[in-house]
Amino acid sequence: MSRRLAYGLAALALIALVGWQASRWFGADSPAGEAVVIGGPFSLTASDGRRVTDQDFRGRWMLIYFGFTFCPDVCPTELAVMAAALDALGDDAADIQPILITLDQERDTVEVLRDYVAAFHPRLIGLTGTLAEIQAVAGAYRVFFQKTEPDASGDYVVDHSSVVYLMDPAGDYVAVFGRDVDAVAMAEGLRHYLD
Ligand code: NI
């Protein structure tokens, strides 16, 4: 088994696990306070160039996705689902801050992120940082990511778990939405949790 395949299988196993949890938790009470803590402090650079921390988002809900702008399919699909869910909620989504945190800080500079997020939703912000900062926030959110070996032309992808996190105005974990959740279901879930 190649290393890349092994990483892919590990990512799939994680996605399956989180997807199962999402379906188990969907519509149920928040599992916050149970064994696994998801989320935590971060300090990153926003796509408008400002330094931000998790504290800057207190009082608002964070809808967070981890990915990278060169991602060929999964990231654009999930970001489009997030954007459509927010649009479906209209004014009810005013207190939700959608966030993309890159897992590819080498290529996802502030400028690259700024142009990328603007293509998905006017309120979506991108966050990047140093490798240590990205590793810290990914670790806090239990996100798996692994850069593949660059090919002859230096291209690489980042294998990563694909989950959308909902954090409440206190910064605490509320729910995850797996890849099986479409925009209609995500909007319904957000409405449920925000009520
Ligand atoms: Ni991706």
Short mmCIF file of all heavy atoms in Angstrom, two decimals, residues 127-150:
data_model
loop_
_atom_site.label_atom_id
_atom_site.label_comp_id
_atom_site.label_asym_id
_atom_site.label_seq_id
_atom_site.Cartn_x
_atom_site.Cartn_y
_atom_site.Cartn_z
N LEU A 127 -8.42 32.22 6.87
CA LEU A 127 -7.39 32.40 7.89
C LEU A 127 -6.18 31.54 7.53
O LEU A 127 -6.32 30.37 7.17
CB LEU A 127 -7.91 31.99 9.27
CG LEU A 127 -9.13 32.74 9.82
CD1 LEU A 127 -9.49 32.20 11.20
CD2 LEU A 127 -8.87 34.24 9.89
N THR A 128 -5.00 32.15 7.62
CA THR A 128 -3.76 31.43 7.38
C THR A 128 -2.81 31.73 8.52
O THR A 128 -3.18 32.39 9.49
CB THR A 128 -3.16 31.78 6.00
OG1 THR A 128 -2.03 30.94 5.75
CG2 THR A 128 -2.76 33.24 5.90
N GLY A 129 -1.59 31.23 8.43
CA GLY A 129 -0.64 31.46 9.51
C GLY A 129 0.64 30.72 9.24
O GLY A 129 0.89 30.27 8.11
N THR A 130 1.46 30.58 10.26
CA THR A 130 2.66 29.78 10.12
C THR A 130 2.27 28.31 10.22
O THR A 130 1.16 27.98 10.64
CB THR A 130 3.66 30.08 11.26
OG1 THR A 130 3.06 29.68 12.51
CG2 THR A 130 4.00 31.58 11.32
N LEU A 131 3.18 27.43 9.82
CA LEU A 131 2.88 26.00 9.92
C LEU A 131 2.55 25.64 11.37
O LEU A 131 1.60 24.88 11.62
CB LEU A 131 4.08 25.17 9.42
CG LEU A 131 3.89 23.64 9.51
CD1 LEU A 131 2.67 23.19 8.73
CD2 LEU A 131 5.15 22.92 9.01
N ALA A 132 3.28 26.20 12.32
CA ALA A 132 3.03 25.89 13.73
C ALA A 132 1.63 26.35 14.14
O ALA A 132 0.92 25.64 14.88
CB ALA A 132 4.09 26.56 14.61
N GLU A 133 1.22 27.51 13.65
CA GLU A 133 -0.11 28.02 13.99
C GLU A 133 -1.20 27.14 13.38
O GLU A 133 -2.24 26.88 14.01
CB GLU A 133 -0.27 29.47 13.51
CG GLU A 133 0.54 30.46 14.35
CD GLU A 133 0.65 31.84 13.70
OE1 GLU A 133 0.35 31.98 12.48
OE2 GLU A 133 1.05 32.77 14.42
N ILE A 134 -0.97 26.70 12.13
CA ILE A 134 -1.96 25.84 11.46
C ILE A 134 -2.02 24.47 12.16
O ILE A 134 -3.11 23.92 12.38
CB ILE A 134 -1.62 25.67 9.96
CG1 ILE A 134 -1.65 27.03 9.25
CG2 ILE A 134 -2.55 24.68 9.30
CD1 ILE A 134 -2.99 27.74 9.31
N GLN A 135 -0.87 23.95 12.50
CA GLN A 135 -0.85 22.66 13.21
C GLN A 135 -1.57 22.76 14.55
O GLN A 135 -2.29 21.84 14.95
CB GLN A 135 0.60 22.20 13.42
CG GLN A 135 1.26 21.67 12.15
CD GLN A 135 2.75 21.41 12.31
OE1 GLN A 135 3.40 22.04 13.15
NE2 GLN A 135 3.28 20.51 11.51
N ALA A 136 -1.41 23.88 15.22
CA ALA A 136 -2.04 24.05 16.53
C ALA A 136 -3.57 24.08 16.40
O ALA A 136 -4.27 23.39 17.14
CB ALA A 136 -1.54 25.33 17.19
N VAL A 137 -4.07 24.87 15.45
CA VAL A 137 -5.53 24.97 15.34
C VAL A 137 -6.11 23.67 14.78
O VAL A 137 -7.18 23.22 15.21
CB VAL A 137 -5.95 26.21 14.51
CG1 VAL A 137 -5.55 26.09 13.05
CG2 VAL A 137 -7.45 26.45 14.64
N ALA A 138 -5.40 23.03 13.85
CA ALA A 138 -5.88 21.76 13.31
C ALA A 138 -5.92 20.71 14.43
O ALA A 138 -6.86 19.92 14.53
CB ALA A 138 -5.00 21.29 12.16
N GLY A 139 -4.93 20.72 15.28
CA GLY A 139 -4.90 19.78 16.39
C GLY A 139 -6.05 20.01 17.35
O GLY A 139 -6.70 19.07 17.80
N ALA A 140 -6.32 21.28 17.63
CA ALA A 140 -7.41 21.61 18.55
C ALA A 140 -8.76 21.13 18.02
O ALA A 140 -9.62 20.72 18.79
CB ALA A 140 -7.44 23.11 18.81
N TYR A 141 -8.92 21.19 16.70
CA TYR A 141 -10.19 20.79 16.08
C TYR A 141 -10.17 19.34 15.59
O TYR A 141 -11.09 18.91 14.90
CB TYR A 141 -10.53 21.75 14.92
CG TYR A 141 -11.14 23.04 15.41
CD1 TYR A 141 -10.34 24.08 15.88
CD2 TYR A 141 -12.51 23.22 15.43
CE1 TYR A 141 -10.90 25.26 16.35
CE2 TYR A 141 -13.09 24.39 15.89
CZ TYR A 141 -12.27 25.40 16.35
OH TYR A 141 -12.84 26.57 16.82
N ARG A 142 -9.11 18.61 15.94
CA ARG A 142 -9.00 17.19 15.56
C ARG A 142 -9.06 17.02 14.04
O ARG A 142 -9.70 16.08 13.53
CB ARG A 142 -10.13 16.35 16.18
CG ARG A 142 -10.44 16.68 17.61
CD ARG A 142 -9.44 16.07 18.55
NE ARG A 142 -9.44 16.83 19.80
CZ ARG A 142 -8.80 16.47 20.89
NH1 ARG A 142 -8.08 15.38 20.88
NH2 ARG A 142 -8.83 17.20 21.97
N VAL A 143 -8.44 17.93 13.33
CA VAL A 143 -8.42 17.85 11.87
C VAL A 143 -7.18 17.08 11.42
O VAL A 143 -6.06 17.42 11.82
CB VAL A 143 -8.42 19.26 11.24
CG1 VAL A 143 -8.18 19.18 9.74
CG2 VAL A 143 -9.73 19.96 11.54
N PHE A 144 -7.40 16.08 10.60
CA PHE A 144 -6.28 15.35 10.00
C PHE A 144 -5.85 16.07 8.73
O PHE A 144 -6.68 16.46 7.92
CB PHE A 144 -6.74 13.92 9.63
CG PHE A 144 -5.85 13.23 8.64
CD1 PHE A 144 -4.74 12.50 9.08
CD2 PHE A 144 -6.10 13.32 7.28
CE1 PHE A 144 -3.91 11.88 8.16
CE2 PHE A 144 -5.27 12.69 6.36
CZ PHE A 144 -4.17 11.98 6.81
N PHE A 145 -4.55 16.30 8.55
CA PHE A 145 -4.07 16.77 7.24
C PHE A 145 -2.65 16.31 7.01
O PHE A 145 -1.87 16.15 7.95
CB PHE A 145 -4.21 18.28 7.08
CG PHE A 145 -3.24 19.13 7.87
CD1 PHE A 145 -2.23 19.84 7.22
CD2 PHE A 145 -3.35 19.25 9.24
CE1 PHE A 145 -1.35 20.65 7.93
CE2 PHE A 145 -2.48 20.06 9.97
CZ PHE A 145 -1.47 20.76 9.32
N GLN A 146 -2.35 16.04 5.75
CA GLN A 146 -1.04 15.51 5.37
C GLN A 146 -0.70 15.94 3.96
O GLN A 146 -1.42 15.60 3.02
CB GLN A 146 -1.06 13.97 5.45
CG GLN A 146 0.22 13.31 5.00
CD GLN A 146 1.38 13.58 5.94
OE1 GLN A 146 1.26 13.40 7.16
NE2 GLN A 146 2.49 14.06 5.39
N LYS A 147 0.36 16.72 3.84
CA LYS A 147 0.82 17.14 2.51
C LYS A 147 1.43 15.93 1.80
O LYS A 147 2.22 15.20 2.38
CB LYS A 147 1.86 18.24 2.69
CG LYS A 147 2.49 18.77 1.42
CD LYS A 147 3.52 19.84 1.77
CE LYS A 147 4.41 20.14 0.57
NZ LYS A 147 5.43 21.15 0.91
N THR A 148 1.06 15.72 0.53
CA THR A 148 1.62 14.60 -0.23
C THR A 148 2.99 15.00 -0.79
O THR A 148 3.33 16.19 -0.84
CB THR A 148 0.71 14.20 -1.40
OG1 THR A 148 0.59 15.32 -2.29
CG2 THR A 148 -0.67 13.79 -0.90
N GLU A 149 3.76 14.02 -1.21
CA GLU A 149 5.05 14.29 -1.84
C GLU A 149 4.82 15.09 -3.12
O GLU A 149 3.99 14.71 -3.94
CB GLU A 149 5.74 12.97 -2.20
CG GLU A 149 6.29 12.21 -1.00
CD GLU A 149 7.36 13.01 -0.25
OE1 GLU A 149 8.18 13.67 -0.90
OE2 GLU A 149 7.34 12.98 1.00
N PRO A 150 5.56 16.20 -3.30
CA PRO A 150 5.40 16.97 -4.54
C PRO A 150 5.80 16.12 -5.75
O PRO A 150 6.72 15.31 -5.66
CB PRO A 150 6.39 18.13 -4.35
CG PRO A 150 6.61 18.22 -2.88
CD PRO A 150 6.49 16.84 -2.36
#
